[in-house]
Amino acid sequence: MKIITISREFGSGGREFGKRLADILGYAYYDREIINAIAENRELNEGYIEKILENGLLNNYPLKFGRTFSYGTVMAQHNMTKILVEQQKVIKDIASKSNCIIVGRSANIILRKYNPLNLFVYADIKSKIERCRKYGDDKELLSEKELIKKIKQVDKGRARHQELLTDIKWGNKEGYDLCINTTGLEIKELAPVIAEYAKYRLGGNYK
């Protein structure tokens, strides 16, 4: 199977980029579908799972999943571990079924044995604020200061999530095949260019 993972800074356009790239390449696309599957399998609330996986709910607990045991609320650690284990199962199952693009969820780390094409999407703070204002839900109601705080909080949570799985730092170029700066660029125009790179990198036939 051919797999592309997309890690992204909040507001950089990574989700739109992933969707457009999937359409061009004819790949299956996964983002919130992973949370939905975990919620169904574990009979847990989707919002609760999203807070843990996306927003770093347990930032105050220095838990090291799969590496070292530390301290914190026992129940919180137990739930976190169950969700992380289930997430790995869901992502690996997705990767085994068809060519796909997976956005976020530390899929680049979870699927490293599958040799995926790992992309990291980022942008400057001005562009991220503008994108949040244009495409966000409640984000447009926040002041600029509040929005910047939200962006940093989400990115910190994503970095924390990857830290639970590996020593490879989230956002460091060493962890990716290609880092893409979307500052001042239209995603719809950028996606076809990166699709050509993906074809070269992964090889094979496309629709």
Side-chain angles (χ1 to χ4, degrees), residues 85-124:
V85 169
E86 190 62 41
Q87 176 184 245
Q88 292 197 29
K89 290 180 180 178
V90 169
I91 289 176
K92 288 179 179 179
D93 182 58
I94 286 171
S96 70
K97 291 181 177 179
S98 66
N99 297 340
C100 62
I101 291 178
I102 301 175
V103 176
R105 322 303 169 200
S106 295
N108 58 314
I109 302 301
I110 294 170
L111 298 177
R112 52 190 161 189
K113 291 184 179 180
Y114 293 73
N115 193 31
L117 171 61
N118 298 316
L119 308 179
F120 185 80
V121 181
Y122 67 101
D124 66 17

mmCIF file of all heavy atoms in Angstrom, residues 85-124:
data_model
loop_
_atom_site.group_PDB
_atom_site.id
_atom_site.type_symbol
_atom_site.label_atom_id
_atom_site.label_comp_id
_atom_site.label_asym_id
_atom_site.label_seq_id
_atom_site.Cartn_x
_atom_site.Cartn_y
_atom_site.Cartn_z
ATOM 1 N N VAL A 85 -3.597 2.948 22.359
ATOM 2 C CA VAL A 85 -3.522 1.589 21.806
ATOM 3 C C VAL A 85 -4.567 1.412 20.703
ATOM 4 O O VAL A 85 -4.276 0.874 19.631
ATOM 5 C CB VAL A 85 -3.715 0.532 22.917
ATOM 6 C CG1 VAL A 85 -3.907 -0.858 22.303
ATOM 7 C CG2 VAL A 85 -2.528 0.518 23.858
ATOM 8 N N GLU A 86 -5.777 1.868 20.970
ATOM 9 C CA GLU A 86 -6.853 1.749 19.976
ATOM 10 C C GLU A 86 -6.536 2.573 18.737
ATOM 11 O O GLU A 86 -6.813 2.154 17.610
ATOM 12 C CB GLU A 86 -8.178 2.204 20.584
ATOM 13 C CG GLU A 86 -9.393 1.906 19.715
ATOM 14 C CD GLU A 86 -9.596 0.420 19.492
ATOM 15 O OE1 GLU A 86 -9.415 -0.355 20.444
ATOM 16 O OE2 GLU A 86 -9.945 0.031 18.354
ATOM 17 N N GLN A 87 -5.963 3.752 18.934
ATOM 18 C CA GLN A 87 -5.600 4.600 17.797
ATOM 19 C C GLN A 87 -4.599 3.884 16.893
ATOM 20 O O GLN A 87 -4.733 3.904 15.670
ATOM 21 C CB GLN A 87 -4.993 5.911 18.285
ATOM 22 C CG GLN A 87 -4.516 6.801 17.151
ATOM 23 C CD GLN A 87 -3.820 8.046 17.656
ATOM 24 O OE1 GLN A 87 -4.293 9.148 17.450
ATOM 25 N NE2 GLN A 87 -2.697 7.887 18.336
ATOM 26 N N GLN A 88 -3.613 3.248 17.487
ATOM 27 C CA GLN A 88 -2.626 2.525 16.687
ATOM 28 C C GLN A 88 -3.276 1.398 15.899
ATOM 29 O O GLN A 88 -2.954 1.176 14.727
ATOM 30 C CB GLN A 88 -1.524 1.975 17.589
ATOM 31 C CG GLN A 88 -0.658 3.062 18.205
ATOM 32 C CD GLN A 88 0.654 2.532 18.752
ATOM 33 O OE1 GLN A 88 1.187 1.539 18.254
ATOM 34 N NE2 GLN A 88 1.192 3.187 19.760
ATOM 35 N N LYS A 89 -4.199 0.692 16.532
ATOM 36 C CA LYS A 89 -4.896 -0.397 15.841
ATOM 37 C C LYS A 89 -5.687 0.131 14.648
ATOM 38 O O LYS A 89 -5.643 -0.443 13.557
ATOM 39 C CB LYS A 89 -5.845 -1.112 16.813
ATOM 40 C CG LYS A 89 -5.152 -1.938 17.880
ATOM 41 C CD LYS A 89 -6.180 -2.614 18.790
ATOM 42 C CE LYS A 89 -5.524 -3.448 19.871
ATOM 43 N NZ LYS A 89 -6.534 -4.060 20.776
ATOM 44 N N VAL A 90 -6.421 1.218 14.872
ATOM 45 C CA VAL A 90 -7.248 1.797 13.809
ATOM 46 C C VAL A 90 -6.378 2.271 12.646
ATOM 47 O O VAL A 90 -6.671 1.999 11.478
ATOM 48 C CB VAL A 90 -8.094 2.965 14.357
ATOM 49 C CG1 VAL A 90 -8.746 3.748 13.220
ATOM 50 C CG2 VAL A 90 -9.158 2.453 15.313
ATOM 51 N N ILE A 91 -5.303 2.993 12.954
ATOM 52 C CA ILE A 91 -4.439 3.540 11.903
ATOM 53 C C ILE A 91 -3.751 2.426 11.113
ATOM 54 O O ILE A 91 -3.664 2.477 9.887
ATOM 55 C CB ILE A 91 -3.408 4.508 12.515
ATOM 56 C CG1 ILE A 91 -4.125 5.789 12.968
ATOM 57 C CG2 ILE A 91 -2.305 4.836 11.515
ATOM 58 C CD1 ILE A 91 -3.242 6.781 13.672
ATOM 59 N N LYS A 92 -3.276 1.402 11.786
ATOM 60 C CA LYS A 92 -2.618 0.294 11.091
ATOM 61 C C LYS A 92 -3.623 -0.486 10.240
ATOM 62 O O LYS A 92 -3.278 -0.968 9.151
ATOM 63 C CB LYS A 92 -1.936 -0.634 12.100
ATOM 64 C CG LYS A 92 -0.690 -0.018 12.722
ATOM 65 C CD LYS A 92 -0.040 -0.946 13.738
ATOM 66 C CE LYS A 92 1.219 -0.316 14.334
ATOM 67 N NZ LYS A 92 1.863 -1.188 15.342
ATOM 68 N N ASP A 93 -4.847 -0.606 10.719
ATOM 69 C CA ASP A 93 -5.885 -1.279 9.939
ATOM 70 C C ASP A 93 -6.201 -0.489 8.675
ATOM 71 O O ASP A 93 -6.336 -1.061 7.590
ATOM 72 C CB ASP A 93 -7.151 -1.424 10.793
ATOM 73 C CG ASP A 93 -8.254 -2.169 10.062
ATOM 74 O OD1 ASP A 93 -8.026 -3.329 9.654
ATOM 75 O OD2 ASP A 93 -9.349 -1.597 9.881
ATOM 76 N N ILE A 94 -6.303 0.827 8.802
ATOM 77 C CA ILE A 94 -6.546 1.704 7.651
ATOM 78 C C ILE A 94 -5.433 1.541 6.620
ATOM 79 O O ILE A 94 -5.679 1.412 5.420
ATOM 80 C CB ILE A 94 -6.634 3.175 8.110
ATOM 81 C CG1 ILE A 94 -7.960 3.431 8.820
ATOM 82 C CG2 ILE A 94 -6.469 4.123 6.926
ATOM 83 C CD1 ILE A 94 -8.038 4.785 9.493
ATOM 84 N N ALA A 95 -4.186 1.559 7.108
ATOM 85 C CA ALA A 95 -3.030 1.496 6.217
ATOM 86 C C ALA A 95 -2.936 0.169 5.468
ATOM 87 O O ALA A 95 -2.336 0.102 4.389
ATOM 88 C CB ALA A 95 -1.752 1.723 7.016
ATOM 89 N N SER A 96 -3.526 -0.872 6.013
ATOM 90 C CA SER A 96 -3.433 -2.199 5.393
ATOM 91 C C SER A 96 -4.483 -2.424 4.313
ATOM 92 O O SER A 96 -4.410 -3.408 3.575
ATOM 93 C CB SER A 96 -3.588 -3.278 6.469
ATOM 94 O OG SER A 96 -4.921 -3.316 6.972
ATOM 95 N N LYS A 97 -5.440 -1.513 4.193
ATOM 96 C CA LYS A 97 -6.577 -1.746 3.305
ATOM 97 C C LYS A 97 -6.431 -1.132 1.925
ATOM 98 O O LYS A 97 -6.858 -1.721 0.928
ATOM 99 C CB LYS A 97 -7.857 -1.235 3.964
ATOM 100 C CG LYS A 97 -8.297 -2.055 5.164
ATOM 101 C CD LYS A 97 -9.586 -1.521 5.767
ATOM 102 C CE LYS A 97 -10.062 -2.395 6.912
ATOM 103 N NZ LYS A 97 -11.311 -1.881 7.540
ATOM 104 N N SER A 98 -5.870 0.072 1.841
ATOM 105 C CA SER A 98 -5.803 0.751 0.540
ATOM 106 C C SER A 98 -4.816 1.892 0.597
ATOM 107 O O SER A 98 -4.350 2.290 1.676
ATOM 108 C CB SER A 98 -7.186 1.290 0.147
ATOM 109 O OG SER A 98 -7.597 2.316 1.045
ATOM 110 N N ASN A 99 -4.472 2.423 -0.569
ATOM 111 C CA ASN A 99 -3.656 3.628 -0.609
ATOM 112 C C ASN A 99 -4.404 4.724 0.135
ATOM 113 O O ASN A 99 -5.605 4.900 -0.066
ATOM 114 C CB ASN A 99 -3.412 4.073 -2.045
ATOM 115 C CG ASN A 99 -2.635 3.041 -2.850
ATOM 116 O OD1 ASN A 99 -1.958 2.180 -2.286
ATOM 117 N ND2 ASN A 99 -2.724 3.131 -4.164
ATOM 118 N N CYS A 100 -3.706 5.458 0.976
ATOM 119 C CA CYS A 100 -4.432 6.418 1.795
ATOM 120 C C CYS A 100 -3.578 7.603 2.219
ATOM 121 O O CYS A 100 -2.346 7.555 2.178
ATOM 122 C CB CYS A 100 -4.991 5.735 3.044
ATOM 123 S SG CYS A 100 -3.731 5.035 4.147
ATOM 124 N N ILE A 101 -4.273 8.667 2.614
ATOM 125 C CA ILE A 101 -3.665 9.838 3.233
ATOM 126 C C ILE A 101 -4.264 9.975 4.619
ATOM 127 O O ILE A 101 -5.482 9.993 4.779
ATOM 128 C CB ILE A 101 -3.928 11.108 2.406
ATOM 129 C CG1 ILE A 101 -3.156 11.029 1.079
ATOM 130 C CG2 ILE A 101 -3.524 12.363 3.196
ATOM 131 C CD1 ILE A 101 -3.386 12.209 0.163
ATOM 132 N N ILE A 102 -3.404 10.064 5.618
ATOM 133 C CA ILE A 102 -3.849 10.191 7.005
ATOM 134 C C ILE A 102 -3.334 11.512 7.549
ATOM 135 O O ILE A 102 -2.126 11.783 7.529
ATOM 136 C CB ILE A 102 -3.340 9.025 7.872
ATOM 137 C CG1 ILE A 102 -3.836 7.689 7.306
ATOM 138 C CG2 ILE A 102 -3.791 9.192 9.319
ATOM 139 C CD1 ILE A 102 -3.294 6.468 8.026
ATOM 140 N N VAL A 103 -4.245 12.329 8.048
ATOM 141 C CA VAL A 103 -3.882 13.634 8.594
ATOM 142 C C VAL A 103 -3.762 13.541 10.116
ATOM 143 O O VAL A 103 -4.700 13.111 10.793
ATOM 144 C CB VAL A 103 -4.922 14.704 8.210
ATOM 145 C CG1 VAL A 103 -4.590 16.040 8.868
ATOM 146 C CG2 VAL A 103 -4.979 14.869 6.695
ATOM 147 N N GLY A 104 -2.611 13.956 10.631
ATOM 148 C CA GLY A 104 -2.409 14.014 12.073
ATOM 149 C C GLY A 104 -2.303 12.657 12.738
ATOM 150 O O GLY A 104 -1.935 11.652 12.135
ATOM 151 N N ARG A 105 -2.637 12.615 14.045
ATOM 152 C CA ARG A 105 -2.667 11.406 14.880
ATOM 153 C C ARG A 105 -1.309 10.730 15.013
ATOM 154 O O ARG A 105 -1.215 9.539 15.324
ATOM 155 C CB ARG A 105 -3.670 10.368 14.339
ATOM 156 C CG ARG A 105 -4.955 10.903 13.762
ATOM 157 C CD ARG A 105 -5.736 11.741 14.720
ATOM 158 N NE ARG A 105 -6.813 12.442 14.034
ATOM 159 C CZ ARG A 105 -7.430 13.516 14.497
ATOM 160 N NH1 ARG A 105 -7.071 14.029 15.664
ATOM 161 N NH2 ARG A 105 -8.379 14.111 13.817
ATOM 162 N N SER A 106 -0.221 11.444 14.716
ATOM 163 C CA SER A 106 1.137 10.865 14.767
ATOM 164 C C SER A 106 1.256 9.631 13.883
ATOM 165 O O SER A 106 2.008 8.700 14.183
ATOM 166 C CB SER A 106 1.531 10.521 16.210
ATOM 167 O OG SER A 106 1.628 11.688 16.997
ATOM 168 N N ALA A 107 0.516 9.625 12.787
ATOM 169 C CA ALA A 107 0.542 8.478 11.874
ATOM 170 C C ALA A 107 1.928 8.270 11.284
ATOM 171 O O ALA A 107 2.306 7.141 10.958
ATOM 172 C CB ALA A 107 -0.489 8.674 10.755
ATOM 173 N N ASN A 108 2.695 9.343 11.134
ATOM 174 C CA ASN A 108 4.057 9.207 10.607
ATOM 175 C C ASN A 108 4.929 8.340 11.511
ATOM 176 O O ASN A 108 5.820 7.632 11.028
ATOM 177 C CB ASN A 108 4.695 10.589 10.428
ATOM 178 C CG ASN A 108 4.750 11.395 11.715
ATOM 179 O OD1 ASN A 108 3.766 11.477 12.452
ATOM 180 N ND2 ASN A 108 5.882 12.006 11.996
ATOM 181 N N ILE A 109 4.650 8.366 12.805
ATOM 182 C CA ILE A 109 5.401 7.548 13.753
ATOM 183 C C ILE A 109 4.816 6.135 13.834
ATOM 184 O O ILE A 109 5.540 5.140 13.790
ATOM 185 C CB ILE A 109 5.394 8.190 15.150
ATOM 186 C CG1 ILE A 109 5.980 9.602 15.086
ATOM 187 C CG2 ILE A 109 6.160 7.322 16.144
ATOM 188 C CD1 ILE A 109 7.398 9.677 14.567
ATOM 189 N N ILE A 110 3.512 6.060 13.921
ATOM 190 C CA ILE A 110 2.829 4.772 14.064
ATOM 191 C C ILE A 110 3.073 3.871 12.854
ATOM 192 O O ILE A 110 3.204 2.651 12.985
ATOM 193 C CB ILE A 110 1.320 4.991 14.282
ATOM 194 C CG1 ILE A 110 1.087 5.694 15.634
ATOM 195 C CG2 ILE A 110 0.546 3.674 14.221
ATOM 196 C CD1 ILE A 110 -0.337 6.165 15.839
ATOM 197 N N LEU A 111 3.186 4.478 11.665
ATOM 198 C CA LEU A 111 3.304 3.700 10.429
ATOM 199 C C LEU A 111 4.716 3.702 9.840
ATOM 200 O O LEU A 111 4.895 3.374 8.674
ATOM 201 C CB LEU A 111 2.324 4.254 9.378
ATOM 202 C CG LEU A 111 0.847 4.184 9.741
ATOM 203 C CD1 LEU A 111 0.006 4.842 8.650
ATOM 204 C CD2 LEU A 111 0.398 2.744 9.955
ATOM 205 N N ARG A 112 5.716 4.025 10.620
ATOM 206 C CA ARG A 112 7.057 4.161 10.050
ATOM 207 C C ARG A 112 7.569 2.869 9.424
ATOM 208 O O ARG A 112 8.357 2.910 8.469
ATOM 209 C CB ARG A 112 8.035 4.662 11.109
ATOM 210 C CG ARG A 112 8.072 3.919 12.405
ATOM 211 C CD ARG A 112 8.904 4.683 13.433
ATOM 212 N NE ARG A 112 8.614 4.246 14.793
ATOM 213 C CZ ARG A 112 9.074 4.853 15.866
ATOM 214 N NH1 ARG A 112 9.838 5.907 15.736
ATOM 215 N NH2 ARG A 112 8.766 4.416 17.074
ATOM 216 N N LYS A 113 7.113 1.716 9.920
ATOM 217 C CA LYS A 113 7.539 0.445 9.324
ATOM 218 C C LYS A 113 6.939 0.235 7.935
ATOM 219 O O LYS A 113 7.411 -0.609 7.176
ATOM 220 C CB LYS A 113 7.157 -0.718 10.245
ATOM 221 C CG LYS A 113 7.946 -0.754 11.553
ATOM 222 C CD LYS A 113 7.599 -1.973 12.384
ATOM 223 C CE LYS A 113 8.413 -2.016 13.675
ATOM 224 N NZ LYS A 113 8.068 -3.209 14.503
ATOM 225 N N TYR A 114 5.903 1.019 7.621
ATOM 226 C CA TYR A 114 5.255 0.921 6.312
ATOM 227 C C TYR A 114 5.932 1.823 5.277
ATOM 228 O O TYR A 114 5.536 1.842 4.116
ATOM 229 C CB TYR A 114 3.781 1.298 6.423
ATOM 230 C CG TYR A 114 2.932 0.336 7.224
ATOM 231 C CD1 TYR A 114 3.038 0.270 8.610
ATOM 232 C CD2 TYR A 114 2.022 -0.504 6.591
ATOM 233 C CE1 TYR A 114 2.258 -0.596 9.352
ATOM 234 C CE2 TYR A 114 1.230 -1.378 7.325
ATOM 235 C CZ TYR A 114 1.365 -1.425 8.707
ATOM 236 O OH TYR A 114 0.591 -2.295 9.450
ATOM 237 N N ASN A 115 6.930 2.578 5.700
ATOM 238 C CA ASN A 115 7.669 3.496 4.836
ATOM 239 C C ASN A 115 6.731 4.484 4.110
ATOM 240 O O ASN A 115 6.758 4.591 2.883
ATOM 241 C CB ASN A 115 8.495 2.722 3.799
ATOM 242 C CG ASN A 115 9.514 3.621 3.108
ATOM 243 O OD1 ASN A 115 10.027 4.575 3.690
ATOM 244 N ND2 ASN A 115 9.797 3.323 1.854
ATOM 245 N N PRO A 116 5.930 5.238 4.859
ATOM 246 C CA PRO A 116 5.042 6.210 4.219
ATOM 247 C C PRO A 116 5.809 7.442 3.763
ATOM 248 O O PRO A 116 6.966 7.660 4.143
ATOM 249 C CB PRO A 116 4.083 6.571 5.349
ATOM 250 C CG PRO A 116 4.923 6.448 6.583
ATOM 251 C CD PRO A 116 5.821 5.259 6.323
ATOM 252 N N LEU A 117 5.163 8.249 2.936
ATOM 253 C CA LEU A 117 5.679 9.569 2.596
ATOM 254 C C LEU A 117 5.159 10.515 3.671
ATOM 255 O O LEU A 117 3.952 10.721 3.803
ATOM 256 C CB LEU A 117 5.164 10.006 1.219
ATOM 257 C CG LEU A 117 5.445 11.456 0.822
ATOM 258 C CD1 LEU A 117 6.947 11.731 0.780
ATOM 259 C CD2 LEU A 117 4.804 11.770 -0.525
ATOM 260 N N ASN A 118 6.060 11.081 4.457
ATOM 261 C CA ASN A 118 5.666 11.923 5.579
ATOM 262 C C ASN A 118 5.844 13.401 5.243
ATOM 263 O O ASN A 118 6.954 13.851 4.949
ATOM 264 C CB ASN A 118 6.511 11.570 6.814
ATOM 265 C CG ASN A 118 6.296 10.138 7.264
ATOM 266 O OD1 ASN A 118 5.166 9.662 7.328
ATOM 267 N ND2 ASN A 118 7.376 9.444 7.575
ATOM 268 N N LEU A 119 4.741 14.138 5.300
ATOM 269 C CA LEU A 119 4.747 15.558 4.992
ATOM 270 C C LEU A 119 4.461 16.372 6.256
ATOM 271 O O LEU A 119 3.704 15.933 7.120
ATOM 272 C CB LEU A 119 3.688 15.887 3.937
ATOM 273 C CG LEU A 119 3.704 15.060 2.644
ATOM 274 C CD1 LEU A 119 2.566 15.499 1.737
ATOM 275 C CD2 LEU A 119 5.049 15.181 1.937
ATOM 276 N N PHE A 120 5.049 17.559 6.329
ATOM 277 C CA PHE A 120 4.742 18.484 7.418
ATOM 278 C C PHE A 120 4.358 19.823 6.808
ATOM 279 O O PHE A 120 5.106 20.396 6.013
ATOM 280 C CB PHE A 120 5.940 18.670 8.351
ATOM 281 C CG PHE A 120 5.626 19.532 9.552
ATOM 282 C CD1 PHE A 120 4.967 18.984 10.640
ATOM 283 C CD2 PHE A 120 5.964 20.874 9.579
ATOM 284 C CE1 PHE A 120 4.651 19.763 11.752
ATOM 285 C CE2 PHE A 120 5.662 21.675 10.684
ATOM 286 C CZ PHE A 120 5.001 21.117 11.773
ATOM 287 N N VAL A 121 3.171 20.300 7.167
ATOM 288 C CA VAL A 121 2.644 21.547 6.612
ATOM 289 C C VAL A 121 2.696 22.634 7.679
ATOM 290 O O VAL A 121 2.230 22.428 8.805
ATOM 291 C CB VAL A 121 1.188 21.354 6.117
ATOM 292 C CG1 VAL A 121 0.651 22.647 5.515
ATOM 293 C CG2 VAL A 121 1.124 20.217 5.096
ATOM 294 N N TYR A 122 3.246 23.793 7.320
ATOM 295 C CA TYR A 122 3.372 24.876 8.283
ATOM 296 C C TYR A 122 3.175 26.226 7.590
ATOM 297 O O TYR A 122 3.106 26.307 6.356
ATOM 298 C CB TYR A 122 4.739 24.823 8.975
ATOM 299 C CG TYR A 122 5.924 25.121 8.077
ATOM 300 C CD1 TYR A 122 6.538 26.372 8.098
ATOM 301 C CD2 TYR A 122 6.439 24.155 7.212
ATOM 302 C CE1 TYR A 122 7.621 26.658 7.281
ATOM 303 C CE2 TYR A 122 7.521 24.424 6.402
ATOM 304 C CZ TYR A 122 8.114 25.674 6.431
ATOM 305 O OH TYR A 122 9.187 25.945 5.618
ATOM 306 N N ALA A 123 3.061 27.281 8.383
ATOM 307 C CA ALA A 123 2.883 28.628 7.842
ATOM 308 C C ALA A 123 3.248 29.640 8.910
ATOM 309 O O ALA A 123 3.387 29.298 10.094
ATOM 310 C CB ALA A 123 1.439 28.832 7.381
ATOM 311 N N ASP A 124 3.399 30.901 8.517
ATOM 312 C CA ASP A 124 3.677 31.924 9.524
ATOM 313 C C ASP A 124 2.393 32.252 10.277
ATOM 314 O O ASP A 124 1.286 31.885 9.856
ATOM 315 C CB ASP A 124 4.313 33.171 8.896
ATOM 316 C CG ASP A 124 3.390 33.927 7.942
ATOM 317 O OD1 ASP A 124 2.153 33.715 7.962
ATOM 318 O OD2 ASP A 124 3.913 34.756 7.166
#
